[in-house]
């Protein structure tokens, strides 16, 4: 079972990016899915989370600018980021609580994708 992110890159302030994270493997269920970010010299922080019922929650710093969504048929979570600011720069890491055959429920993490916002 693994999570693979894509969609990061370099963008100017005010621009947009869309991140994707696809889960694959012997998955029998996915509960919450979320995005975290790790900025240089800072602790990892939660950016947004979406439940299996598609209830969402956001960090105050991204409310109104970022939108998290998921496609349960594709086992994929997305993060649409608009009006990006330099302080949004960091490695964005996908997380999901998944049920793996033979293992049970477990939290999984992706490798991360770099987002750099220039001023």
């Amino acid at each position: 079972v693994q999570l693979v992110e894509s969609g990061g890159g370099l963008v100017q302030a005010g621009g947009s990016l869309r991140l994707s994270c696809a889960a694959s493997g012997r998955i029998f269920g996915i509960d919450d899915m979320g995005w975290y970010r790790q900025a240089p010299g800072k602790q990892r922080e939660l950016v947004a989370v979406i439940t299996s019922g598609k209830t969402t929650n956001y960090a105050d710093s991204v409310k109104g600018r970022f939108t998290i969504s998921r496609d349960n048929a594709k086992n994929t979570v997305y993060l649409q980021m608009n009006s990006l600011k330099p302080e949004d720069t960091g490695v964005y890491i996908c997380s999901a609580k998944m049920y793996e055959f033979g293992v049970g429920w477990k939290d999984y993490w992706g490798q991360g994708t770099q987002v750099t916002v220039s001023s």
Side-chain angles (χ1 to χ4, degrees):
V1 174
Q2 62 177 349
L3 296 168
V4 178
E5 301 103 331
S6 61
L10 173 64
V11 64
Q12 288 188 332
S16 299
L17 282 174
R18 188 188 192 215
L19 306 182
S20 300
C21 173
S24 62
R26 301 179 71 184
I27 302 166
F28 284 78
I30 302 178
D31 196 358
D32 293 357
M33 303 184 82
W35 289 94
Y36 291 73
R37 68 185 175 195
Q38 180 87 55
K42 294 186 178 181
Q43 290 187 333
R44 183 177 296 185
E45 63 172 342
L46 175 66
V47 175
V49 64
I50 184 168
T51 68
S52 57
K54 300 190 177 179
T55 297
T56 59
N57 195 24
Y58 298 90
D60 288 341
S61 60
V62 307
K63 283 181 180 177
R65 300 188 297 122
F66 291 10
T67 302
I68 189 170
S69 61
R70 65 191 285 173
D71 185 333
N72 291 333
K74 295 181 179 180
N75 291 339
T76 300
V77 62
Y78 306 95
L79 186 67
Q80 178 66 45
M81 305 185 292
N82 299 328
S83 302
L84 282 161
K85 304 175 181 179
E87 51 263 44
D88 293 319
T89 294
V91 177
Y92 282 69
I93 305 158
C94 174
S95 176
K97 184 175 182 179
M98 298 188 286
Y99 191 98
E100 180 182 1
F101 179 76
V103 175
W105 288 105
K106 180 182 172 183
D107 290 327
Y108 292 84
W109 297 86
Q111 292 297 309
T113 184
Q114 177 69 44
V115 171
T116 303
V117 184
S118 63
S119 57

